[in-house]
Amino acid sequence: MIVIEKSGETMLAIDSAWQRWLHENTGRGCTVESMVDAMVASGFDRHTATAAVDRLRGSGHDIASDSARTEPDDRYVYEAEAPIGTNANTIRAGDREIEVIARIGRPEVLVVGGVLTDEECEAMIALSRDKLRPSTIVDPDSGGEGFNPERRSEGVFFQRGENELVARIEQRMSALMSCPVEHGEGLQVLHYGHEGEYRPHFDYFPLHYKGTARHLEHGGQRVATLVVYLNDVESGGETIFPEVGLSVVARRGNAVYFRYMNALGQLDRKTLHGGAPVLAGEKWIMTKWVRERPYI
């Protein structure tokens, strides 16, 4: 436990988990501003967050050296015609017409509405409720699963095509993301209770981690993510992109899509994202990750 002091005042303690998060994200090349914004979104006051980052920078930690070891960098090439980055205000996704709510180009993020019906959202929650288990993260060294206080949620995975509902949703997602069904990992449903959160992270597998090779054997690198909101969140629970100051509010049936790998195999670190703490109520989401090759 580390206590930050500024101007003679003792402020909120920065625990070991947050210290580890700061070191890891500094090593990934995240900017000072994005780390401070992410901490503020998770409940820290801005002075405390700034002091924590300043303390790290003044500790002798070699930020430039760490950044040089990471594969993603600011030279990421944004393609002129991304798979679903058209200017249309609606997208035909199989059996549904999807409304485009907002888009940004760098990073490639699309917020869409009406991906699932109210009935489909309720059905996926009902299918998941009794199967939930504490969420894990990928261990960077072994590639296996581990628990980490950076992620406070519970979830369940569904096999591809596990039932009629899952298969129908996967076909729709495939059409929306312009990606074959076979490239998708199984759907994951996640539940966040009060104060549940997932601190900012990347969905792709960082190439400088020893455990990454284990995951790349099963379809290559992750290319893009689609997060579907299964309920309205009373307060908090936004999907945040601290590198670009974007915050997406959870609304039932809506989704946020983001793509972080281009045709050159580059990875876009501007897609750093997280789930802000749920301040009131609960949050249910469903996530689909897609790979560069068929996922096996």
Side-chain angles (χ1 to χ4, degrees):
M1 181 78 71
I2 297 178
V3 177
I4 302 297
E5 294 187 358
K6 189 177 180 70
S7 302
E9 297 182 1
T10 300
M11 295 178 291
L12 191 61
I14 309 297
D15 63 22
S16 59
W18 273 106
Q19 286 292 309
R20 182 171 57 253
W21 180 88
L22 284 166
H23 277 278
E24 289 178 353
N25 283 282
T26 298
R28 291 165 175 163
C30 298
T31 64
V32 170
E33 293 78 11
S34 69
M35 289 190 288
V36 170
D37 287 346
M39 292 181 72
V40 170
S42 293
F44 288 90
D45 66 80
R46 187 164 293 276
H47 288 304
T48 301
T50 302
V53 176
D54 285 346
R55 183 184 182 92
L56 175 66
R57 296 174 72 199
S59 67
H61 183 77
D62 191 350
I63 293 177
S65 176
D66 277 355
S67 297
R69 289 197 295 269
T70 62
E71 180 70 16
D73 59 30
D74 291 331
R75 294 171 294 178
Y76 185 88
V77 176
Y78 293 94
E79 296 162 355
E81 188 172 343
I84 65 172
T86 67
N87 292 322
N89 292 331
T90 60
I91 301 172
R92 187 68 191 178
D95 61 344
R96 285 184 70 76
E97 196 78 15
I98 306 301
E99 174 191 8
V100 176
I101 297 174
R103 62 165 63 88
I104 61 174
R106 302 189 177 196
E108 185 186 338
V109 179
L110 199 66
V111 182
V112 291
V115 176
L116 266 64
T117 66
D118 291 351
E119 293 75 18
E120 288 171 332
C121 290
E122 291 298 329
M124 288 304 304
I125 291 174
L127 284 173
S128 306
R129 193 180 296 277
D130 295 332
K131 301 176 183 178
L132 297 172
R133 297 291 183 271
S135 298
T136 59
I137 64 167
V138 175
D139 182 88
D141 293 320
S142 69
E145 295 184 350
F147 295 96
N148 193 304
E150 294 179 9
R151 187 178 194 185
R152 289 187 285 171
S153 63
E154 49 189 355
V156 58
F157 281 95
F158 291 88
Q159 296 295 319
R160 276 202 314 249
E162 181 168 325
N163 55 47
E164 186 277 332
L165 174 62
V166 168
R168 182 172 75 245
I169 292 173
E170 287 177 327
Q171 289 289 340
R172 190 181 305 155
M173 289 179 165
S174 172
L176 173 62
M177 302 173 80
S178 297
C179 183
V181 171
E182 293 75 19
H183 286 221
E185 298 180 32
L187 289 175
Q188 182 188 41
V189 172
L190 290 166
H191 172 255
Y192 294 80
H194 180 62
E195 296 186 346
E197 66 174 322
Y198 195 178
R199 294 172 189 171
H201 60 281
F202 298 106
D203 278 358
Y204 57 74
F205 302 109
L207 300 183
H208 61 290
Y209 286 162
K210 291 186 294 184
T212 288
R214 173 178 173 181
H215 292 277
L216 299 185
E217 294 174 355
H218 302 281
Q221 184 61 270
R222 284 177 176 167
V223 174
T225 298
L226 183 71
V227 177
V228 182
Y229 305 105
L230 301 179
N231 74 313
D232 293 340
V233 179
E234 186 176 342
S235 179
E238 303 92 346
T239 301
I240 58 173
F241 292 82
E243 289 282 358
V244 291
L246 176 65
S247 179
V248 181
V249 175
R251 289 287 181 265
R252 183 167 63 179
N254 289 3
V256 58
Y257 163 90
F258 48 102
R259 183 169 177 249
Y260 32 82
M261 180 176 173
N262 62 18
L264 300 174
Q266 296 173 316
L267 300 170
D268 188 1
R269 69 184 183 195
K270 285 187 172 66
T271 58
L272 180 76
H273 66 286
V278 175
L279 304 179
E282 60 180 351
K283 180 173 77 170
W284 289 86
I285 63 172
M286 181 167 61
T287 301
K288 168 65 78 172
W289 294 293
V290 295
R291 301 292 188 103
E292 56 185 322
R293 299 188 297 274
Y295 177 71
I296 54 174

Short mmCIF file of all heavy atoms in Angstrom, two decimals, residues 166-188:
data_model
loop_
_atom_site.label_atom_id
_atom_site.label_comp_id
_atom_site.label_asym_id
_atom_site.label_seq_id
_atom_site.Cartn_x
_atom_site.Cartn_y
_atom_site.Cartn_z
N VAL A 166 -27.76 -18.63 -29.52
CA VAL A 166 -26.35 -18.28 -29.67
C VAL A 166 -25.95 -18.29 -31.14
O VAL A 166 -25.27 -17.38 -31.62
CB VAL A 166 -25.47 -19.24 -28.85
CG1 VAL A 166 -23.99 -19.07 -29.22
CG2 VAL A 166 -25.65 -18.99 -27.35
N ALA A 167 -26.37 -19.31 -31.87
CA ALA A 167 -26.02 -19.41 -33.30
C ALA A 167 -26.58 -18.23 -34.08
O ALA A 167 -25.91 -17.68 -34.96
CB ALA A 167 -26.52 -20.73 -33.86
N ARG A 168 -27.82 -17.83 -33.79
CA ARG A 168 -28.45 -16.71 -34.50
C ARG A 168 -27.70 -15.41 -34.22
O ARG A 168 -27.44 -14.62 -35.15
CB ARG A 168 -29.92 -16.59 -34.09
CG ARG A 168 -30.65 -15.48 -34.84
CD ARG A 168 -32.13 -15.50 -34.57
NE ARG A 168 -32.49 -14.99 -33.26
CZ ARG A 168 -33.05 -15.71 -32.29
NH1 ARG A 168 -33.29 -17.01 -32.47
NH2 ARG A 168 -33.35 -15.16 -31.13
N ILE A 169 -27.33 -15.20 -32.97
CA ILE A 169 -26.61 -13.98 -32.60
C ILE A 169 -25.23 -13.97 -33.25
O ILE A 169 -24.76 -12.93 -33.74
CB ILE A 169 -26.50 -13.86 -31.07
CG1 ILE A 169 -27.88 -13.60 -30.46
CG2 ILE A 169 -25.52 -12.77 -30.67
CD1 ILE A 169 -27.90 -13.65 -28.94
N GLU A 170 -24.56 -15.11 -33.28
CA GLU A 170 -23.23 -15.18 -33.88
C GLU A 170 -23.28 -14.89 -35.38
O GLU A 170 -22.39 -14.22 -35.91
CB GLU A 170 -22.62 -16.55 -33.63
CG GLU A 170 -22.18 -16.75 -32.18
CD GLU A 170 -21.65 -18.14 -31.92
OE1 GLU A 170 -22.14 -19.11 -32.56
OE2 GLU A 170 -20.76 -18.28 -31.06
N GLN A 171 -24.31 -15.36 -36.06
CA GLN A 171 -24.46 -15.06 -37.48
C GLN A 171 -24.63 -13.56 -37.70
O GLN A 171 -24.06 -12.97 -38.62
CB GLN A 171 -25.65 -15.83 -38.06
CG GLN A 171 -25.44 -17.33 -38.20
CD GLN A 171 -24.45 -17.67 -39.30
OE1 GLN A 171 -24.18 -16.88 -40.20
NE2 GLN A 171 -23.92 -18.89 -39.26
N ARG A 172 -25.41 -12.93 -36.84
CA ARG A 172 -25.64 -11.49 -36.94
C ARG A 172 -24.35 -10.72 -36.68
O ARG A 172 -24.02 -9.75 -37.39
CB ARG A 172 -26.72 -11.07 -35.95
CG ARG A 172 -27.22 -9.64 -36.12
CD ARG A 172 -28.28 -9.34 -35.06
NE ARG A 172 -29.37 -10.31 -35.10
CZ ARG A 172 -30.16 -10.62 -34.08
NH1 ARG A 172 -29.97 -10.01 -32.90
NH2 ARG A 172 -31.12 -11.50 -34.20
N MET A 173 -23.61 -11.14 -35.64
CA MET A 173 -22.34 -10.48 -35.33
C MET A 173 -21.35 -10.65 -36.47
O MET A 173 -20.60 -9.72 -36.81
CB MET A 173 -21.75 -11.06 -34.04
CG MET A 173 -22.49 -10.67 -32.78
SD MET A 173 -21.71 -11.45 -31.34
CE MET A 173 -22.44 -10.49 -30.01
N SER A 174 -21.31 -11.83 -37.06
CA SER A 174 -20.42 -12.09 -38.19
C SER A 174 -20.70 -11.13 -39.34
O SER A 174 -19.78 -10.55 -39.93
CB SER A 174 -20.59 -13.54 -38.65
OG SER A 174 -19.88 -13.78 -39.85
N ALA A 175 -21.98 -10.93 -39.64
CA ALA A 175 -22.35 -10.01 -40.72
C ALA A 175 -22.00 -8.57 -40.36
O ALA A 175 -21.50 -7.80 -41.20
CB ALA A 175 -23.83 -10.14 -41.02
N LEU A 176 -22.24 -8.20 -39.12
CA LEU A 176 -21.96 -6.83 -38.67
C LEU A 176 -20.46 -6.54 -38.73
O LEU A 176 -20.04 -5.46 -39.17
CB LEU A 176 -22.48 -6.63 -37.25
CG LEU A 176 -22.13 -5.31 -36.56
CD1 LEU A 176 -22.72 -4.13 -37.33
CD2 LEU A 176 -22.63 -5.31 -35.12
N MET A 177 -19.64 -7.49 -38.30
CA MET A 177 -18.20 -7.27 -38.21
C MET A 177 -17.46 -7.65 -39.49
O MET A 177 -16.24 -7.51 -39.55
CB MET A 177 -17.64 -8.08 -37.03
CG MET A 177 -18.28 -7.73 -35.70
SD MET A 177 -17.77 -8.82 -34.34
CE MET A 177 -16.17 -8.12 -33.93
N SER A 178 -18.20 -8.12 -40.49
CA SER A 178 -17.59 -8.56 -41.76
C SER A 178 -16.47 -9.57 -41.51
O SER A 178 -15.36 -9.45 -42.04
CB SER A 178 -17.05 -7.35 -42.54
OG SER A 178 -18.08 -6.48 -42.91
N CYS A 179 -16.77 -10.55 -40.69
CA CYS A 179 -15.78 -11.55 -40.30
C CYS A 179 -16.46 -12.91 -40.25
O CYS A 179 -17.56 -13.03 -39.69
CB CYS A 179 -15.18 -11.20 -38.95
SG CYS A 179 -13.88 -12.31 -38.41
N PRO A 180 -15.86 -13.96 -40.81
CA PRO A 180 -16.49 -15.28 -40.78
C PRO A 180 -16.77 -15.76 -39.36
O PRO A 180 -15.99 -15.48 -38.43
CB PRO A 180 -15.45 -16.19 -41.46
CG PRO A 180 -14.62 -15.27 -42.29
CD PRO A 180 -14.57 -13.98 -41.53
N VAL A 181 -17.87 -16.47 -39.18
CA VAL A 181 -18.23 -17.01 -37.88
C VAL A 181 -17.08 -17.84 -37.31
O VAL A 181 -16.80 -17.80 -36.10
CB VAL A 181 -19.51 -17.87 -37.98
CG1 VAL A 181 -19.77 -18.62 -36.68
CG2 VAL A 181 -20.71 -17.00 -38.33
N GLU A 182 -16.39 -18.57 -38.17
CA GLU A 182 -15.33 -19.48 -37.73
C GLU A 182 -14.14 -18.73 -37.11
O GLU A 182 -13.33 -19.33 -36.40
CB GLU A 182 -14.83 -20.33 -38.90
CG GLU A 182 -15.84 -21.32 -39.44
CD GLU A 182 -16.94 -20.65 -40.27
OE1 GLU A 182 -16.72 -19.49 -40.73
OE2 GLU A 182 -18.01 -21.27 -40.45
N HIS A 183 -14.03 -17.45 -37.37
CA HIS A 183 -12.93 -16.66 -36.81
C HIS A 183 -13.26 -16.17 -35.39
O HIS A 183 -12.38 -15.60 -34.73
CB HIS A 183 -12.62 -15.45 -37.69
CG HIS A 183 -11.91 -15.82 -38.96
ND1 HIS A 183 -10.87 -15.06 -39.48
CD2 HIS A 183 -12.09 -16.84 -39.83
CE1 HIS A 183 -10.45 -15.61 -40.60
NE2 HIS A 183 -11.18 -16.69 -40.84
N GLY A 184 -14.47 -16.36 -34.94
CA GLY A 184 -14.87 -15.83 -33.65
C GLY A 184 -14.63 -16.80 -32.50
O GLY A 184 -14.82 -18.01 -32.64
N GLU A 185 -14.20 -16.26 -31.37
CA GLU A 185 -14.17 -17.04 -30.14
C GLU A 185 -15.61 -17.19 -29.65
O GLU A 185 -16.52 -16.50 -30.10
CB GLU A 185 -13.32 -16.33 -29.08
CG GLU A 185 -11.87 -16.16 -29.48
CD GLU A 185 -11.04 -15.47 -28.41
OE1 GLU A 185 -11.34 -15.64 -27.21
OE2 GLU A 185 -10.09 -14.76 -28.78
N GLY A 186 -15.82 -18.09 -28.71
CA GLY A 186 -17.15 -18.26 -28.17
C GLY A 186 -17.63 -17.02 -27.45
O GLY A 186 -16.83 -16.25 -26.90
N LEU A 187 -18.94 -16.80 -27.47
CA LEU A 187 -19.51 -15.64 -26.77
C LEU A 187 -19.20 -15.71 -25.27
O LEU A 187 -19.26 -16.78 -24.67
CB LEU A 187 -21.02 -15.59 -26.96
CG LEU A 187 -21.54 -15.23 -28.35
CD1 LEU A 187 -23.06 -15.35 -28.37
CD2 LEU A 187 -21.11 -13.82 -28.74
N GLN A 188 -18.89 -14.58 -24.70
CA GLN A 188 -18.71 -14.48 -23.25
C GLN A 188 -19.72 -13.50 -22.69
O GLN A 188 -19.82 -12.37 -23.15
CB GLN A 188 -17.30 -14.01 -22.89
CG GLN A 188 -17.06 -13.96 -21.38
CD GLN A 188 -15.74 -13.32 -21.01
OE1 GLN A 188 -15.33 -12.33 -21.61
NE2 GLN A 188 -15.06 -13.87 -20.02
#
